[in-house]
Amino acid sequence: MQGRKTALTVVWLVLLAAVQVMAFVLLWHLAVRTEHGQLLDTVALTGNSIGRDRIDGLVGTVLNAMSVVSLLAATTVIGFIALIRRRILLAIVATLLVAGANVTTQVLKYLIHRPDFGVDPERAAAGNSLPSGHTTIAASVAIALVLVLPPKVRAWGAMIAVGYTALAGVATLSAGWHRPSDAIASLLIAGAWAAGAGTLLVLTQGEQAQVEREDAHRGTVLLLALVGLGLLGVAAYALRATDEVLVIPVDELNRPRLFDAYFGGAVGIAGTASLMMALVLTTVHRVVPRHNG
């Protein structure tokens, strides 16, 4: 029976990884390689100027806290928590998850070419910005932390982690550093790495691994999933509204239209972060059981 559940978990995790990779490829194609997608992103990014003065302090604090040094410090803490729980393999895999997601982001950022359709001439010289490095840092650290936390505090950790991830992703948009698609692409990368790390952990468990049903945190999973889907629904509505005005030059759009696009991009990032964490939590009690056996 345990072997069958393990096989089903592995299949589910592999499927999750494949779906997120395909979603990334689709997002890359639409947002980077098509004029239509670039226009949608540009309108959302342009809208970040509305009310920026009021949140500049918070945005700066969030983004300045993310650096190579802070990433190394966070990874060290995550590994330390796993080692305290006597989970050596978990410490290694969590570290690989963080490193792998961030290296993948930097490699893709270098390899991806952004065609110039004349949509955003002010930022054309900057070249490609997908995926977002800062969002990847936040998402990968958040997922790794949830993996190493004890079951009793995992649900609370997941709620805090998803808030932090969403805040970091939206901050890159608010600061004008990244387009909405950049942050969402980073979340998909981190999610795919999480599924891959989970697969490795499941396959290395012993036959006597103890999986407790109460560690599944179904209430938290449901809450995060509903919040994520709800926010993505709002983002889809804003995307549709923005799509209707793409015939108007960006610099001629009124403030409500720009704000709708910006708000839609922000809630799209937050919704993706929430849904990603819900998917991580669906299997974390099997990926990291109370005892590995």
Side-chain angles (χ1 to χ4, degrees), residues 2 85 87 90 147 149 151 154 201-202 205-206 208-212 215 283-293:
Q2 184 65 30
R85 298 182 63 202
R87 301 292 185 91
L90 177 59
L147 289 180
L149 285 176
R154 188 177 288 148
L201 288 170
V202 170
Q205 290 173 10
Q208 303 303 316
Q210 296 181 13
V211 178
E212 304 293 340
D215 294 344
T283 56
V284 70
H285 64 297
R286 296 192 176 280
V287 169
V288 189
R290 292 195 181 185
H291 300 286
N292 274 333

Side-chain angles (χ1 to χ4, degrees), residues 18-19 32 45 60 64 67 86 97 125 128 143 169 172 187 197 247-248 274 284:
V19 167
V32 176
L45 182 56
N64 290 334
S67 63
R86 299 180 181 179
L97 188 163
N128 173 59
I143 294 170
T172 64
L187 295 172
V247 293
I248 304 173
S274 186
V284 70

